[in-house]
Amino acid sequence: MAGVFGVDGSLPSSRMLAEELGVSRTTVTVAFEQLLAEGFITVRQGAKPRVAAAVIGRDLRAGTPSQAGAVRLSAYGERIRGIPAWRDDAASPLVADFRYGVLAPSDFPAGIWKRAMNAAMARRPDRLSYDDPRGLKRLRMALQGYLWRARTLRCELDQIIVVSGSQQGLDLCARLFLDPADRFVIEDPCYVMARRTFAGTGACPVPIAVDRDGLQTELLAGVAARLAYVTPSHQFPLGGVLPVARRRQLLDWARQNDAYVIEDDYDSEYRYDINPIPPLHGLGDSDNVVYLGTISKTLSPTLRIGYLVVPPGLQQVFATAKQLIDRHSPLAEQEALASLIESGAYESHVRRARRLNGERRQALLNVLHLAFGDRISVEGANAGLHVLVRFTDLPQSLEAALIDEARRVGVGVHSAAPLYDPAMTEARRDRISLVMGYSALDARQIERGVQLLAQAVARVLS
Amino acid sequence: MAGVFGVDGSLPSSRMLAEELGVSRTTVTVAFEQLLAEGFITVRQGAKPRVAAAVIGRDLRAGTPSQAGAVRLSAYGERIRGIPAWRDDAASPLVADFRYGVLAPSDFPAGIWKRAMNAAMARRPDRLSYDDPRGLKRLRMALQGYLWRARTLRCELDQIIVVSGSQQGLDLCARLFLDPADRFVIEDPCYVMARRTFAGTGACPVPIAVDRDGLQTELLAGVAARLAYVTPSHQFPLGGVLPVARRRQLLDWARQNDAYVIEDDYDSEYRYDINPIPPLHGLGDSDNVVYLGTISKTLSPTLRIGYLVVPPGLQQVFATAKQLIDRHSPLAEQEALASLIESGAYESHVRRARRLNGERRQALLNVLHLAFGDRISVEGANAGLHVLVRFTDLPQSLEAALIDEARRVGVGVHSAAPLYDPAMTEARRDRISLVMGYSALDARQIERGVQLLAQAVARVLS
């Protein structure tokens, strides 16, 4: 506009401009009002409008050409920059993908969930406003009962914080407990997203080796750290249950070191031989334990609901942090889950899911035995939604070739190696170990998948 | 158990124990298996089970009594600890609550939303797994089109990050851009949750005064900061539109200082006099601008969906941060919103909501004029879902009394004073200013509410 009307910025009157452009004067007036509001023109009483001084002589979209996006991040941003980008596995469909943490849509109680969501959406509140950052009271009450019935975990209502999946629970713990240069204990091997989340704060991981009984707590002696992240009911990925003696040792260590224990109870619902193992929380006093549960393994990871049980003194700061992070989790899903728990439908569903996954597990164990016999050892098969398969005759050096060859014939397999601390010795991973999740697969896929894996193994060994 | 069976921990055989207790041997065996798995007993081949050594002589729930919950938080935790706890306003119902940010459930397109959610829930994916941290591709495509149509904002698909409400967008920016002792520019007065979120990182606010045209960008000269948070389309709370000259000044400042501008476009859909004001994003190059939008003001704050448009070089690190924070936002709501935008139903709804809120606004302006006449000045009434009401004859010293008295007679009113920087001079708030939101109220509530407010004013002045 400055270009058309000259450097002095004077504009024709709305009447003149309307005539010149052949439009109504109202149209020009509306346009002038918009330009005025956005600050492109100025108007003084009785005078013609003028182009605003700051606009004259500048091209609308010019400005100095930018320095090809020099990125300026916080220390946190720089630390997490190296984490590999999320990849969409669905892009290349496979005969069977033994990825851990994926569920079968056929297991999902679609009808019950849909009814519960519709009931939640039909409820008309007095007003639409932000809700309690700790989560819907109705859901926290339902969870309080569920935790007592299913996990023998007793807590006050105010200790429960509903989070958007257990990942958000980990992130809250990381932010509230860790500073740069602090130390945190992590299982080795471990759940990598937990390691990344805690390390994102700038704190340093102290990897402690895991054996068939979980974290080797005797190695904690003399270790100073602010926090320990553990999976005591079912170690991820090796599958061990932390025995009571080690539980005590861990809690004693935490008390002596003024450290918090983050107990990730991610899949304790799936126990095939005995009753579910009670959580650490409740053994001794629990002032040092943050308990973390999720519905990602029982209902679906796409719903994004998890829950924390925090020590009494920390309720308020967790609620404030949750509010600063995202106000609260979406209400409809919270309401629907509450109604499923209240009616008993959730626990019926968990029993059904346990039976279905028990069948998948058995199918996998059978076909693994048939295909590989003594050439493999299988660990952690009594619980959860995955097994750890160790090949006795496949050196680690063949891992990349095996994974590629398996993918070529249509099977997704996933190495346990990246779950070990990168700085630790290679000694204990001299043979290929695979984490094989089965919860998204049917028996036919499991069978065919293992057969194809056997072909791939034969080919890389030949 | 150690107590009953003595300090040496020897247990009777399962056969003997079954006889002694009068239960089946299977029952005892199952119990032994559970105790074994949890580490309470040990079993050696051919020998009787024994109580595990670590358990002997210790009471199950003993441990050292804890030091009444000494809380050990990170620096972040300590910084946010002082933030007041969330309060449930619904607990004390009022005739009218002029709280900002609350919507009327009757405005919500319940039928359309429910159908869209049911269609989303009916879609059966191949598997239930974590999705793209940037958000559902379908929603990002829909938003890309919407932003161009409604906001003349052009961006690549990969620049859009779906977040769980604009609060999470603020938190992501805070974490990725700010380190302790950094400085950030914030409007004065401002949206307090933004100030808290950025200050949570340990960075220091640099408050810059706002007038009727928004941020006084000439005051930025000589200010060094890493980030500036602005509401250019509709300053919160004063209501000004940042004129184009100031926009350029702000972007020039950002370029010279290598700083990011966070443009919070929280309610630009509500513009009653002219067309919506185009965003900063797109004026000049946008390598320094992060655009932040939300559906909390158009659909509902309970759904928790917002979106960022980030500079091209930052796509990956925002996606990684979102993944570490909560993996991704719930899928069903994302899918439903995508379908509303695709069908045009979202934009029809926004037009309807604009008309309804325009009527509320007019009702409020009329009744305020009737009740107070020249004793008040009203600012920011041309846009958004609130007005700023300044009383010319009510000194700040009466504020607490007025708010209490109003509440006593059934009206919720909210002072603008806490939105000003606490460290700044009291000069510009020598008279009471109220932020009056109207989007949750009907005409009758608005009328009655203002009448009751007038009574309260009369009483505190008498």
Side-chain angles (χ1 to χ4, degrees):
Chain A
M1 189 177 274
V4 176
F5 292 103
V7 287
D8 70 341
S10 62
L11 289 175
S13 70
S14 56
R15 186 182 52 76
M16 280 173 59
L17 196 58
E19 277 175 22
E20 190 179 325
L21 299 174
V23 297
S24 82
R25 196 164 163 192
T26 314
T27 304
V28 175
T29 308
V30 166
F32 274 5
E33 276 170 12
Q34 186 82 26
L35 289 168
L36 180 65
E38 297 182 21
F40 282 98
I41 62 173
T42 56
V43 176
R44 267 178 312 142
Q45 195 66 34
K48 285 184 193 164
R50 296 180 57 84
V51 177
V55 182
I56 291 173
R58 294 192 58 163
D59 179 21
L60 243 182
R61 302 186 63 95
T64 359
S66 76
Q67 306 295 321
V71 167
R72 304 167 297 284
L73 295 173
S74 66
Y76 174 79
E78 288 296 341
R79 280 191 297 266
I80 69 167
R81 244 180 131 170
I83 294 176
W86 178 85
R87 274 206 324 261
D88 188 359
D89 300 311
S92 54
L94 296 164
V95 175
D97 188 350
F98 289 97
R99 175 173 294 281
Y100 175 75
V102 182
L103 301 186
S106 55
D107 289 9
F108 185 75
I112 294 169
W113 182 255
K114 199 168 161 179
R115 276 194 298 281
M117 283 292 283
N118 276 295
M121 289 189 281
R123 252 185 30 110
R124 180 76 79 87
D126 289 337
R127 50 207 202 126
L128 301 174
S129 64
Y130 296 118
D131 208 80
D132 194 328
R134 295 170 299 183
L136 209 60
K137 189 172 179 187
R138 180 179 170 195
L139 175 56
R140 288 183 293 129
M141 288 176 69
L143 285 169
Q144 187 186 31
Y146 171 75
L147 286 168
W148 172 237
R149 292 192 302 277
R151 308 296 293 122
T152 64
L153 190 158
R154 239 182 185 140
C155 66
E156 300 294 323
L157 196 60
D158 287 346
Q159 290 179 259
I160 299 177
I161 310 270
V162 176
V163 286
S164 298
S166 57
Q167 183 60 39
Q168 190 175 60
L170 295 175
D171 185 53
L172 281 168
C173 291
R175 293 177 82 172
L176 289 175
F177 296 144
L178 293 176
D179 282 311
D182 278 349
R183 289 149 55 91
F184 65 95
V185 165
I186 187 112
E187 298 167 331
D188 182 37
C190 72
Y191 175 48
V192 170
M193 284 294 280
R195 184 168 65 203
R196 284 179 182 160
T197 305
F198 296 125
T201 64
C204 307
V206 180
I208 299 281
V210 163
D211 61 18
R212 280 171 182 245
D213 288 332
L215 191 75
Q216 298 186 42
T217 48
E218 66 276 17
L219 301 178
L220 288 173
V223 169
R226 297 269 288 168
L227 175 159
Y229 169 81
V230 290
T231 49
S233 297
H234 184 227
Q235 204 276 329
F236 186 84
L238 300 192
V241 174
L242 200 66
V244 68
R246 287 191 176 182
R247 287 170 185 241
R248 286 193 191 295
Q249 208 161 23
L250 174 61
L251 292 177
D252 286 346
W253 170 85
R255 211 174 290 111
Q256 284 154 19
N257 284 271
D258 255 5
Y260 287 104
V261 174
I262 316 299
E263 171 174 30
D264 191 348
D265 201 34
Y266 64 105
D267 73 358
S268 62
E269 295 84 359
Y270 297 99
R271 186 83 220 174
Y272 304 111
D273 49 351
I274 53 171
N275 285 324
I277 305 292
L280 261 184
H281 196 281
L283 190 73
D285 69 80
S286 298
D287 280 2
N288 292 67
V289 180
V290 175
Y291 174 90
L292 181 50
T294 179
I295 63 162
S296 292
K297 306 287 179 275
T298 53
L299 283 172
S300 171
T302 71
L303 301 173
R304 313 307 307 125
I305 303 186
Y307 40 93
L308 295 172
V309 181
V310 304
L314 297 178
Q315 300 157 1
Q316 182 48 50
V317 75
F318 267 89
T320 298
K322 169 70 177 163
Q323 190 183 19
L324 284 178
I325 283 172
D326 65 6
R327 291 273 189 176
H328 59 77
S329 296
L331 291 193
E333 278 86 353
Q334 291 192 61
E335 188 104 29
L337 178 59
S339 100
L340 255 67
I341 297 175
E342 287 164 3
S343 71
Y346 181 69
E347 276 147 280
S348 305
H349 166 70
V350 169
R351 281 191 295 274
R352 181 172 161 271
R354 188 185 298 133
R355 181 174 55 74
L356 292 169
N357 283 306
E359 290 166 10
R360 294 187 179 104
R361 163 189 166 270
Q362 199 52 58
L364 177 61
L365 293 178
N366 293 347
V367 65
L368 279 173
H369 183 72
L370 276 174
F372 298 106
D374 290 344
R375 295 173 57 201
I376 57 168
S377 71
V378 177
E379 292 174 23
N382 292 333
L385 302 173
H386 74 281
V387 296
L388 190 88
V389 176
R390 295 191 193 272
F391 285 88
T392 55
D393 57 350
L394 283 181
Q396 190 65 35
S397 55
L398 290 178
E399 184 184 285
L402 175 62
I403 289 170
D404 285 353
E405 179 60 22
R407 179 159 291 268
R408 204 185 59 79
V409 297
V411 188
V413 287
H414 307 276
S415 166
L419 312 183
Y420 284 86
D421 189 84
M424 299 289 277
T425 165
E426 300 286 308
R428 86 182 71 112
R429 359 180 202 130
D430 56 344
R431 294 288 179 271
I432 293 178
S433 297
L434 300 179
V435 177
M436 296 186 73
Y438 47 76
S439 48
L441 305 174
D442 61 32
R444 196 194 50 76
Q445 286 175 304
I446 289 170
E447 188 175 344
R448 188 75 193 120
V450 172
Q451 287 165 355
L452 291 170
L453 176 61
Q455 286 177 22
V457 167
R459 209 154 309 168
V460 296
L461 277 179
S462 69
Chain B
M1 187 175 276
V4 176
F5 293 104
V7 287
D8 69 339
S10 62
L11 288 174
S13 70
S14 56
R15 189 183 50 76
M16 282 173 60
L17 196 59
E19 274 174 25
E20 191 179 322
L21 299 174
V23 298
S24 81
R25 196 166 163 190
T26 314
T27 305
V28 175
T29 309
V30 166
F32 275 4
E33 276 170 12
Q34 186 82 27
L35 290 168
L36 180 65
E38 298 182 20
F40 284 98
I41 63 173
T42 55
V43 176
R44 268 179 311 143
Q45 195 65 34
K48 285 184 193 165
R50 297 179 57 84
V51 178
V55 182
I56 292 173
R58 295 192 56 163
D59 178 22
L60 242 181
R61 301 187 62 97
T64 358
S66 76
Q67 305 295 323
V71 166
R72 304 167 297 283
L73 295 173
S74 65
Y76 173 79
E78 288 296 341
R79 279 190 296 265
I80 69 167
R81 244 179 130 172
I83 294 177
W86 178 85
R87 273 205 328 260
D88 188 0
D89 300 310
S92 55
L94 295 164
V95 176
D97 189 350
F98 290 98
R99 175 173 293 281
Y100 176 74
V102 182
L103 301 186
S106 55
D107 290 9
F108 185 75
I112 293 169
W113 182 255
K114 201 168 158 177
R115 276 195 296 282
M117 282 291 282
N118 277 296
M121 289 189 282
R123 252 184 29 111
R124 181 74 79 85
D126 288 337
R127 48 202 206 134
L128 301 174
S129 64
Y130 296 118
D131 206 84
D132 193 330
R134 295 171 298 183
L136 210 60
K137 188 172 180 189
R138 180 179 170 196
L139 176 56
R140 289 184 291 128
M141 287 176 70
L143 284 169
Q144 186 185 31
Y146 171 76
L147 285 167
W148 171 237
R149 291 191 303 276
R151 308 296 293 123
T152 63
L153 190 159
R154 232 173 192 149
C155 66
E156 301 295 321
L157 196 60
D158 287 346
Q159 289 178 260
I160 299 177
I161 311 271
V162 177
V163 287
S164 298
S166 57
Q167 184 59 40
Q168 189 174 63
L170 295 175
D171 186 52
L172 280 168
C173 291
R175 293 176 83 171
L176 289 175
F177 296 145
L178 293 175
D179 282 311
D182 278 349
R183 290 148 55 91
F184 64 95
V185 165
I186 187 108
E187 297 167 332
D188 182 36
C190 72
Y191 176 49
V192 170
M193 284 293 280
R195 185 168 63 204
R196 284 179 182 160
T197 305
F198 296 125
T201 63
C204 307
V206 180
I208 298 282
V210 163
D211 60 20
R212 282 171 181 245
D213 288 332
L215 191 76
Q216 298 185 41
T217 48
E218 66 275 18
L219 301 177
L220 288 172
V223 170
R226 295 270 288 168
L227 174 158
Y229 169 80
V230 289
T231 49
S233 297
H234 184 227
Q235 203 276 330
F236 187 83
L238 300 192
V241 173
L242 200 66
V244 68
R246 288 192 176 182
R247 289 173 183 239
R248 286 195 192 293
Q249 208 161 23
L250 174 62
L251 292 177
D252 285 347
W253 170 85
R255 208 172 295 111
Q256 283 154 19
N257 283 272
D258 254 3
Y260 288 105
V261 174
I262 316 298
E263 171 174 32
D264 190 347
D265 201 36
Y266 65 105
D267 72 358
S268 62
E269 295 85 357
Y270 298 100
R271 185 84 220 175
Y272 304 112
D273 49 351
I274 52 170
N275 285 325
I277 305 293
L280 262 184
H281 197 279
L283 191 72
D285 69 83
S286 298
D287 280 0
N288 291 66
V289 180
V290 175
Y291 174 91
L292 181 49
T294 179
I295 62 163
S296 292
K297 305 289 178 274
T298 53
L299 284 172
S300 171
T302 71
L303 301 173
R304 315 305 309 125
I305 303 186
Y307 40 93
L308 295 172
V309 181
V310 304
L314 296 178
Q315 299 158 3
Q316 182 48 48
V317 76
F318 266 88
T320 298
K322 170 69 177 163
Q323 191 184 18
L324 282 179
I325 283 171
D326 65 4
R327 291 273 190 177
H328 59 76
S329 295
L331 291 194
E333 278 85 353
Q334 291 192 59
E335 188 103 30
L337 178 59
S339 100
L340 256 67
I341 297 175
E342 287 164 3
S343 71
Y346 181 68
E347 277 148 282
S348 305
H349 166 71
V350 169
R351 281 191 295 275
R352 181 172 162 271
R354 188 185 297 135
R355 181 173 57 72
L356 293 169
N357 283 307
E359 290 165 8
R360 294 186 179 104
R361 163 190 167 271
Q362 197 54 58
L364 178 61
L365 293 177
N366 292 347
V367 64
L368 279 173
H369 183 71
L370 275 173
F372 298 106
D374 288 346
R375 295 171 59 200
I376 56 168
S377 71
V378 177
E379 294 175 20
N382 292 333
L385 302 172
H386 74 281
V387 296
L388 190 88
V389 176
R390 294 192 194 271
F391 285 87
T392 55
D393 57 350
L394 284 181
Q396 189 67 35
S397 55
L398 291 178
E399 184 184 283
L402 175 63
I403 289 170
D404 285 353
E405 179 59 24
R407 179 159 290 267
R408 205 185 59 77
V409 298
V411 188
V413 287
H414 306 276
S415 166
L419 311 183
Y420 284 86
D421 190 84
M424 297 290 276
T425 167
E426 299 285 307
R428 84 183 73 113
R429 0 181 201 130
D430 56 343
R431 294 286 178 273
I432 293 178
S433 296
L434 300 178
V435 177
M436 296 186 74
Y438 47 77
S439 47
L441 305 175
D442 61 34
R444 195 194 52 76
Q445 286 175 305
I446 289 170
E447 188 175 344
R448 188 75 191 119
V450 171
Q451 286 164 356
L452 291 169
L453 176 61
Q455 286 176 23
V457 167
R459 209 155 308 167
V460 296
L461 278 178
S462 69

